[in-house]
Amino acid sequence: MKNEAQPFQLTLLGVSGALPARGLFPSAQALTIGNRAYLIDCGEGAQIQMQALGISPLRIHQIFISHLHGDHFYGLIGLLGSMALAGRDKPLDIFGPRALEEIIQVQLKHVGPVPFPLRFQPVDPGKHQLIYENKAIEVYTLPLIHRSPAAGFLFREKPRLRKMRPEMIAAHDIPYQVIPAIKAGADYQAADGSLIPNAALTLDPPLPRSYAYCSDTAFNENLPALVKGVDLLYHEATFCDDREDLAAMTGHSTARQAALIAQRAGVGHLVLGHYSSRYPDFSPFLAEAREVFPRTSLGMDGAVFRVPLNSAQTDPSSPEGELH
Ligand SMILES: [Zn+2]
Ligand SMILES: [Zn+2]
């Protein structure tokens, strides 16, 4: 069941590894939840891709940067410049390594300031903790294993209120002022003194949806517990089995290792990315990962993955059918 009014949608802006090759852009993605978009990493050219793929920078109020390798943040200053030219006045939060503020501020010092509040929010890449929340979602850091201190990000919708069954309002003559309490789980005491249990008055709300971004990282045995059961997992797959040694040496993963993380965490769907420029084509990545975890897709620039809104009282639709 798809509900376009409340999208939960990942758009891949760039899936290249450190050296861009074959026309792919470096790491950047936009996660659209409801009417907001969250930018995750901002490799060079991210704003070009946003324009091409219809992601308006005006909808972005939070940016999450995983680590200070250039392929994950060199697009930031360009994006900030364009936001300034567009006359942005709303504040922008940038979550990332502490030194990112210094890097950006030294550029702005010489170029000129942006006309909107830039709020740097340093994150501790070694900790799994809540770093941001609003009415709809929570965002947690995911400690990764990499040559530069790196954190992935876990996005999780907050539980929704229960759904009122409209026919029960009429049947029990329920006053409107008590409906918020019933949606929050309260029973209802009718005028004749009888108690009507909440389960008879409401339906289960749709389940909260979740997405985890894990790049860049070596094979990380701690990750499955942190991303257990997420609907969608993006995990880097810089190499294939043939270069497993190189993966370990450089703080990266193979496609098989990404699939092992997905399998152990029992995620809904795995998306691969951050491919090394050494590979002439990416089919071996998919084949290798699917041997371990069949519900895997190759991430490609411009690909969109939607997580449908399911009700606990309907059978979840097949992720394969909804993801594309
Ligand atoms: Zn990278
Ligand atoms: Zn890196």
Side-chain angles (χ1 to χ4, degrees):
M1 185 172 70
K2 198 181 285 183
N3 187 330
E4 293 297 344
Q6 297 183 53
F8 190 105
Q9 174 174 310
L10 178 72
T11 303
L12 301 181
L13 306 174
V15 299
S16 159
L19 271 178
R22 283 175 289 287
L24 294 178
F25 282 79
S27 293
Q29 28 185 269
L31 182 66
T32 302
I33 303 176
N35 56 7
R36 293 252 190 152
Y38 304 90
L39 185 63
I40 307 165
D41 277 340
C42 188
E44 192 181 346
Q47 64 165 329
I48 311 287
Q49 285 290 75
M50 287 166 66
Q51 203 171 58
L53 296 164
I55 311 284
S56 167
L58 296 175
R59 290 168 65 202
I60 290 179
H61 306 287
Q62 282 77 34
I63 298 177
F64 299 85
I65 302 293
S66 62
H67 66 297
L68 292 183
H69 281 155
D71 55 318
H72 296 257
F73 78 97
Y74 280 171
L76 199 47
I77 192 69
L79 177 62
L80 296 180
S82 296
M83 285 175 166
L85 286 174
R88 182 189 180 105
D89 56 7
K90 293 211 164 51
L92 182 70
D93 295 316
I94 302 181
F95 297 81
R98 183 168 293 280
L100 183 60
E101 176 168 12
E102 187 186 341
I103 293 171
I104 297 298
Q105 293 297 10
V106 80
Q107 295 176 85
L108 295 179
K109 182 178 143 192
H110 297 285
V111 174
V114 290
F116 53 88
L118 255 188
R119 304 188 300 213
F120 287 92
Q121 317 272 4
V123 306
D124 181 344
K127 288 197 177 137
H128 172 55
Q129 58 188 9
L130 179 69
I131 55 166
Y132 172 74
E133 66 177 318
N134 58 29
K135 269 194 224 164
I137 64 156
E138 293 178 335
V139 183
Y140 296 84
T141 40
L142 299 167
L144 303 176
I145 301 171
H146 197 46
R147 284 171 303 160
S148 170
F153 301 103
L154 169 64
F155 294 77
R156 209 179 266 294
E157 284 185 316
K158 290 183 174 174
R160 291 175 172 77
L161 292 173
R162 300 186 63 74
K163 283 197 211 161
M164 196 73 209
R165 294 172 60 179
E167 72 277 16
M168 299 306 276
I169 299 175
H172 297 284
D173 207 14
I174 299 174
Y176 278 96
Q177 54 269 34
V178 303
I179 288 176
I182 294 173
K183 283 183 171 177
D187 299 329
Y188 176 63
Q189 179 127 38
D192 65 3
S194 60
L195 193 72
I196 302 153
N198 188 275
L201 300 171
T202 62
L203 298 170
D204 289 344
L207 294 169
R209 294 166 289 184
S210 51
Y211 168 61
Y213 173 79
C214 298
S215 186
D216 300 352
T217 186
F219 183 62
N220 185 344
E221 307 242 6
N222 299 321
L223 268 182
L226 303 182
V227 301
K228 195 135 214 86
V230 297
D231 295 298
L232 189 60
L233 169 68
Y234 175 94
H235 194 291
E236 74 129 282
T238 307
F239 301 104
C240 289
D241 278 342
D242 60 326
R243 292 186 170 99
E244 192 180 340
D245 290 356
L246 190 57
M249 211 163 70
T250 55
H252 288 295
S253 296
T254 65
R256 184 179 305 279
Q257 289 170 336
L260 277 170
I261 298 292
Q263 182 198 54
R264 289 184 192 175
V267 307
H269 201 86
L270 170 66
V271 178
L272 303 176
H274 199 272
Y275 314 112
S276 163
S277 58
R278 292 162 181 263
Y279 292 87
D281 89 289
F282 303 124
S283 49
F285 289 83
L286 188 61
E288 191 178 302
R290 281 189 171 169
E291 277 177 25
V292 177
F293 192 76
R295 296 191 303 276
T296 302
S297 297
L298 269 186
M300 280 293 141
D301 287 11
V304 174
F305 296 86
R306 294 187 182 89
V307 180
L309 189 66
N310 291 318
S311 163
Q313 291 174 356
T314 58
D315 285 331
S317 6
S318 144
E320 294 280 9
E322 290 290 340
L323 293 163
H324 49 90

